[in-house]
Amino acid sequence: MRMVFRGVAASDGIAIGPLFVLQHAPVEVEERRGVAVDAELARLDDAVAKTKQDLQSLHETALERLGPDEAAIFTAHLQILEDPEFVGATKRQIETDQVNAEFALTTVSNQLVALFEQLEDDYLRQRAADIKDIRQRVLSHLLGTGSANLSNLTHPVVLAAVELTPSDTVVLDKRRVQAFITDVGGRTSHSAIMARSLGIPAVVGLGSATASIPPGTTVIVDGFGGEVIADPDAAEIARFTERMEEAAADAKVLATLKGEPSVTRDGHKVELAGNIGTPADLAAVLDNGGEGVGLFRSEFLYMNRDTAPTEEEQFTAYRDVAERLAGKPVVIRTLDVGGDKEIPYLDLPKEANPFLGYRAIRVCLDRTDLFRTQLRAILRASHYGNVKVMFPMISNVSEVRRAKQVLAEVKDDLRREGVPFDDRMEVGIMVEIPSVAVAADLVAPEVDFFSIGTNDLIQYTMACDRMNERISHLYQPYHPAILRLVKMVIDGAHRHGKWVGMCGEMAGDETAAPLLLGLGLDEFSMSAGSILKIRQRVRNLRFADAEALAAAAVHEESQEAVRARVARWLEQAGEHRS
Ligand code: PEP
Ligand code: MG
């Protein structure tokens, strides 16, 4: 039955394909007594065999995309499946109680989880999470709810889920996932950001699409317009196929701008860089003509594993990126854990307001063991390229001073040990909390650069959770208040001779580009797939015109009025296609 869903356009592109629904199996399972024991044992064997296949291919994918240490978790899970305490005990329970496989598996794994959770030893306590994860995988095969494994899909699909976590998306097989749609989330939730960096069309915040569309139904995903059509008619398929072809033709034109400078028609030059989560993402940035990496979200190195990455592992990852950039800059952001980015082994307390809580630099200044290890790795990598370090979630000048103090101490250690590093490595901060934006001129003397994190800056300014689709209409990048804050940051920094970048998603937005350019932004860092579109826009503009546009836009009364002004301006004299 034809159905249309409206959501938030999260990543450009059109896809048409069968729906694959990713369902995490329910925690409560039904108990059935007096079952045919042999049949239940066979069902269990079959589900375990399928889970092993999943884990093997997850291991291969993680190895290829993330490296041996991150992949090790899947080998550990395979070992648990081979342990007689787990599958053997489940079989005994089926036999003695004549009970269904799901129920026996849940009972046995709950007992093991309870046992591990009581232990003192941190490492062993973590095993409880592994058991839960494996239970979910085996259960999803037993219940036929669709594999929780995104890395070994056998045919191209449109992936649907209530929510995708950053660790789900990192192992996603992009040759098979043509697009994804989720019930919750906004444009700046991390799964949406990941979709853009992988170049996969996505619509998020669809409400109830996952439960309403039967698996296997053909769907059209319009990542430009934020629409999903289930069971479309032939005319719709033809229309969207044509749009897919147009988008492919546009991409060809953009590709010709790959090696061109990012300079306006009247000679004003800016830098267009890419955002990455792991070294594997760098290829897309370079393929799209990125002039550097303006944000390396280092927390992705800490995900999908059991312990924090060692200094050596981090050093290898940072040096790899620095060397491949061959002199172009990379801004490595120190660990930004918290908000929607969970790292279970750090054992951070559950909080009522995680976006306003113990996160990012607040954790690092408290857990200086973690912070020092990371700073050592970054400093060591600075010897091999153009590396800059950046601290996230800064709210006041004393945090900057304390972070720099730790950095100075780590430098002293390295100097004493005779380890080479770039002593003049630039130090910057993210401006994503309004207190720092408003007082930018007071903080500027402490840093070499700012990078505006609009994803968080907008949510804190508008008091609007970036993940909450119900209030996504209040998440307003073009609100004059946001433009004024951006202006305060740029003016405050320029007064002290410091440069300003932007690494929030707004930097890759074509409508925002003339405004940001006109406000004097020096560097724009974005998902790889947006770089060439923004370069095209910059090259078609005159800086002087953009300055006049921005000066007028900050006096508009609303986001709608700003948008309308930019649209009129682009239509009239603003943009000249060459
Ligand atoms: C931001 O807040 O704009 C930003 C770039 O950081 P993140 O999206 O990782 O929170
Ligand atoms: Mg942020």
Side-chain angles (χ1 to χ4, degrees):
M1 189 182 64
R2 184 178 176 281
M3 286 179 279
V4 179
F5 296 85
R6 296 224 114 257
V8 178
S11 178
D12 283 354
I14 310 257
I16 305 174
L19 195 75
F20 175 89
V21 180
L22 176 75
Q23 266 166 5
H24 297 291
V27 183
E28 296 290 327
V29 301
E30 192 194 0
E31 176 179 3
R32 280 183 283 117
R33 293 265 169 176
V35 295
V37 168
D38 285 347
E40 289 306 303
L41 290 174
R43 285 182 63 227
L44 181 69
D45 280 340
D46 181 52
V48 168
K50 285 183 176 146
T51 308
K52 284 186 180 169
Q53 280 168 14
D54 291 349
L55 289 169
Q56 248 135 17
S57 73
L58 273 170
H59 178 257
E60 278 159 32
T61 313
L63 199 62
E64 197 181 294
R65 291 215 53 194
L66 305 169
D69 295 294
E70 288 79 356
I73 179 129
F74 300 115
T75 327
H77 285 191
L78 271 168
Q79 279 162 359
I80 295 175
L81 268 186
E82 272 149 22
D83 186 336
E85 284 306 316
F86 189 60
V87 179
T90 306
K91 286 187 171 170
R92 282 195 295 282
Q93 177 116 22
I94 295 175
E95 285 163 350
T96 44
D97 292 355
Q98 295 189 355
V99 75
N100 54 321
E102 297 84 336
F103 189 76
L105 178 84
T106 309
T107 313
V108 169
S109 54
N110 285 351
Q111 284 162 357
L112 285 174
V113 166
L115 194 76
F116 279 118
E117 277 178 346
Q118 278 166 16
L119 299 176
E120 284 288 306
D121 183 296
D122 245 12
Y123 178 80
L124 287 174
R125 253 204 336 265
Q126 302 289 343
R127 304 283 69 72
D130 293 334
I131 306 269
K132 285 188 205 161
D133 196 5
I134 295 168
R135 175 186 60 201
Q136 287 302 102
R137 289 188 190 284
V138 180
L139 270 182
S140 71
H141 282 299
L142 279 171
L143 296 168
T145 47
S147 163
N149 180 1
L150 299 180
S151 72
N152 72 342
L153 296 164
T154 51
H155 56 280
V157 297
V158 168
L159 179 70
V162 172
E163 182 169 22
L164 287 173
T165 64
S167 48
D168 281 331
T169 35
V170 85
V171 289
L172 204 135
D173 180 349
K174 67 173 172 184
R175 289 162 307 182
R176 298 277 194 260
V177 178
Q178 296 177 305
F180 73 69
I181 62 176
T182 63
D183 291 353
V184 303
R187 223 187 119 73
T188 60
S189 54
H190 283 89
S191 51
I193 292 174
M194 192 69 97
R196 288 195 287 281
S197 86
L198 291 169
I200 299 177
V203 179
V204 301
L206 284 159
S208 60
T210 301
S212 317
I213 314 174
T217 306
T218 298
V219 291
I220 295 176
V221 179
D222 176 3
F224 296 109
E227 202 170 68
V228 172
I229 308 173
D231 204 6
D233 58 34
E236 279 168 328
I237 294 187
R239 182 153 57 85
F240 278 95
T241 306
E242 199 174 305
R243 285 196 52 198
M244 270 162 93
E245 285 159 7
E246 281 164 17
D250 286 348
K252 273 205 181 129
V253 174
L254 286 178
T256 62
L257 296 178
K258 225 177 107 169
E260 298 295 327
S262 310
V263 61
T264 61
R265 293 172 54 236
D266 51 348
H268 179 81
K269 197 169 170 351
V270 290
E271 185 179 308
L272 301 186
N275 294 347
I276 65 172
T278 70
D281 298 337
L282 181 61
V285 173
L286 295 172
D287 277 353
N288 284 281
E291 295 164 77
V293 168
L295 171 64
F296 183 162
R297 287 188 165 90
S298 68
E299 54 278 5
F300 282 88
L301 299 177
Y302 291 68
M303 289 178 189
N304 284 324
R305 44 185 300 148
D306 278 351
T307 51
T310 61
E311 178 184 324
E312 216 47 42
E313 288 170 53
Q314 294 189 58
F315 166 61
T316 308
Y318 304 148
R319 186 183 64 181
D320 174 33
V321 172
E323 285 183 340
R324 282 158 65 202
L325 279 165
K328 292 178 185 158
V330 50
V331 178
I332 304 177
R333 177 174 75 182
T334 57
L335 181 62
D336 183 15
V337 60
D340 68 334
K341 289 175 282 199
E342 284 186 38
I343 301 180
Y345 58 80
L346 293 182
D347 263 341
L348 300 183
K350 279 256 171 275
E351 294 182 335
N353 292 304
F355 275 110
L356 297 179
Y358 185 60
R359 58 173 293 203
I361 197 69
R362 302 166 182 189
V363 176
C364 287
L365 289 175
D366 193 31
R367 304 268 300 261
T368 42
D369 50 331
L370 275 173
F371 196 34
R372 279 173 195 277
T373 305
Q374 180 166 41
L375 292 176
R376 276 181 71 94
I378 295 172
L379 277 166
R380 285 173 58 198
S382 70
H383 181 63
Y384 298 88
N386 185 355
V387 174
K388 305 171 199 296
V389 69
M390 173 161 78
F391 304 124
M393 291 296 295
I394 294 289
S395 64
N396 62 58
V397 76
S398 93
E399 284 168 333
V400 187
R401 294 201 181 112
R402 283 166 62 205
K404 280 169 61 184
Q405 176 60 32
V406 182
L407 184 70
E409 288 164 15
V410 172
K411 280 185 173 184
D412 282 344
D413 290 346
L414 292 175
R415 232 176 256 121
R416 253 194 314 275
E417 295 163 32
V419 177
F421 64 90
D422 174 6
D423 198 18
R424 287 178 317 187
M425 177 178 76
E426 285 191 16
V427 177
I429 62 165
M430 300 268 310
V431 179
E432 44 193 344
I433 299 183
S435 60
V436 169
V438 172
D441 59 326
L442 304 179
V443 186
E446 287 293 331
V447 300
D448 296 305
F449 66 92
F450 288 143
S451 185
I452 306 175
T454 45
N455 303 343
D456 280 316
L457 184 63
I458 297 167
Q459 80 165 344
Y460 296 136
T461 306
M462 304 295 297
C464 171
D465 183 343
R466 65 197 259 191
M467 304 284 291
N468 188 338
E469 70 284 356
R470 282 219 189 107
I471 48 170
S472 60
H473 61 287
L474 292 175
Y475 190 91
Q476 301 185 345
Y478 318 106
H479 191 295
I482 303 297
L483 301 182
R484 288 176 182 209
L485 282 176
V486 169
K487 180 171 162 48
M488 286 175 110
V489 178
I490 296 173
D491 292 349
H494 285 179
R495 214 173 299 147
H496 292 274
K498 310 296 164 78
W499 63 271
V500 182
M502 178 179 286
C503 57
E505 291 305 304
M506 192 175 175
D509 178 335
E510 283 175 276
T511 307
L515 294 167
L516 299 173
L517 188 79
L519 290 171
L521 192 71
D522 303 297
E523 179 238 36
F524 299 57
S525 191
M526 61 201 83
S527 308
S530 303
I531 297 173
L532 292 172
K533 271 187 298 194
I534 300 296
R535 180 165 299 148
Q536 184 179 49
R537 178 133 289 177
V538 167
R539 289 170 61 83
N540 285 336
L541 298 179
R542 282 170 43 85
F543 180 53
D545 296 343
E547 279 186 311
L549 170 75
V554 297
H555 295 293
E556 293 289 4
E557 60 160 31
S558 65
Q559 140 146 315
E560 292 70 33
V562 170
R563 243 206 216 113
R565 178 179 281 276
V566 176
R568 273 196 314 275
W569 183 84
L570 286 172
E571 254 169 41
Q572 296 161 8
E575 194 173 35
H576 303 260
R577 301 212 168 263
S578 42

